[in-house]
Amino acid sequence: DYYYAACDQNCTDPTQWGLIYLTSSSGIGVIDLNKDDGLPQRYFALDPAGRPRFIYNDGVTGHVGTYYAYCDNDCLDPYQWYETKINKDNGNQGPFRDEDFNYPVMAFTPQGQPRVVTNGVSMQDEYYLFYLACDNNCDLPTSWHSAHLYEPGSGPNVSYDLEIDAQGRPRVAFYEGAKLNGQGDRLFYAWCNNSCLNSGNWQRSDLGLAGDDGRGPDLELNAAGKPRIAYALY
């Protein structure tokens, strides 16, 4: 179940909080689209105008997919919330024929355009870290576009975070999971400066930490747009 809570004043008083139920999601079979037990949990954000948005996965028959939920006014009224599907499919509902996303992280450009980084599977059954973007008319599924960035590696430690600089450019901290021959388990800083839905315009740098260090990165940018990362040290 997904709820939305808000408080505008005296927020140490529980009675000043409004709380509404929004929607429920469900998993299907061995592919659980309702993954809520891992990192990261940064699927909720406010746009520059202070309006709430979040991303969730649903596995309910007839409603399978990844959804961008949003509200512009009176957001403690559930009837003011809307959603649009943002993952591609081939016209058939079902987790085995869609582009599937898990653990989305969302941030906004200064112009209020949503940007997302997520672990996922392409319709060709290839695993990638994906970047999603919408520049306008984000209530339309056709306005959302995705690009695959990097192979995520395997295991439970794959994790990442996203920030957008003052010029609207995405920056990502990415902990890669295990790979064959002892590869993987590394923390990267990745960035793109233009045409970021073109996978070839992304660059990344291995931060050179010891193996297993760097899990669960949390990325922030300072006022000058310089990256700062907190992470787990093992």
Side-chain angles (χ1 to χ4, degrees):
D1 291 339
Y2 288 85
Y3 289 79
Y4 174 70
C7 175
D8 291 333
Q9 59 184 356
N10 301 324
C11 297
T12 58
D13 179 356
T15 64
Q16 296 300 309
W17 283 80
L19 177 68
I20 59 168
Y21 164 82
L22 290 177
T23 189
S24 295
S25 62
S26 175
I28 288 184
V30 296
I31 297 182
D32 184 4
L33 297 182
N34 180 28
K35 292 180 178 292
D36 59 4
D37 56 352
L39 292 173
Q41 291 292 321
R42 301 172 188 141
Y43 56 85
F44 172 80
L46 302 178
D47 75 0
R51 301 175 299 184
R53 281 86 170 92
F54 72 96
I55 294 175
Y56 78 101
N57 291 305
D58 200 357
V60 174
T61 301
H63 198 251
V64 173
T66 302
Y67 290 87
Y68 172 69
Y70 56 95
C71 173
D72 291 341
N73 299 286
D74 300 323
C75 296
L76 286 173
D77 178 357
Y79 293 102
Q80 297 300 318
W81 283 83
Y82 304 91
E83 66 181 23
T84 188
K85 185 176 180 181
I86 65 174
N87 66 313
K88 298 175 184 176
D89 62 55
N90 65 359
N92 295 310
Q93 291 282 346
F96 301 103
R97 295 176 294 275
D98 290 352
E99 192 178 51
D100 294 333
F101 299 134
N102 298 305
Y103 306 129
V105 175
M106 181 166 58
F108 285 91
T109 69
Q111 292 74 37
Q113 300 157 318
R115 302 293 188 254
V116 178
V117 169
T118 179
N119 201 0
V121 186
S122 73
M123 288 186 285
Q124 291 75 39
D125 292 329
E126 298 170 313
Y127 290 85
Y128 292 110
L129 189 71
F130 281 84
Y131 172 73
L132 286 76
C134 174
D135 287 340
N136 50 65
N137 299 321
C138 296
D139 57 326
L140 301 176
T142 53
S143 297
W144 287 82
H145 304 281
S146 65
H148 62 265
L149 301 184
Y150 309 109
E151 294 182 6
S154 62
N157 299 316
V158 177
S159 46
Y160 38 86
D161 196 13
L162 167 69
E163 288 292 330
I164 308 297
D165 73 4
Q167 287 74 49
R169 303 175 300 183
R171 275 75 177 107
V172 173
F174 166 46
Y175 185 82
E176 179 186 70
K179 290 187 172 181
L180 296 176
N181 302 317
Q183 301 299 309
D185 290 318
R186 297 176 294 171
L187 179 63
F188 291 91
Y189 175 68
W191 67 96
C192 173
N193 291 331
N194 56 74
S195 301
C196 297
L197 287 169
N198 181 340
S199 302
N201 288 337
W202 282 80
Q203 303 177 68
R204 67 175 179 174
S205 177
D206 184 342
L207 296 189
L209 301 179
D212 292 331
D213 290 343
R215 299 178 191 177
D218 189 344
L219 172 67
E220 298 290 339
L221 303 179
N222 69 13
K226 305 300 183 182
R228 305 292 187 256
I229 303 175
Y231 58 85
L233 184 68
Y234 285 86

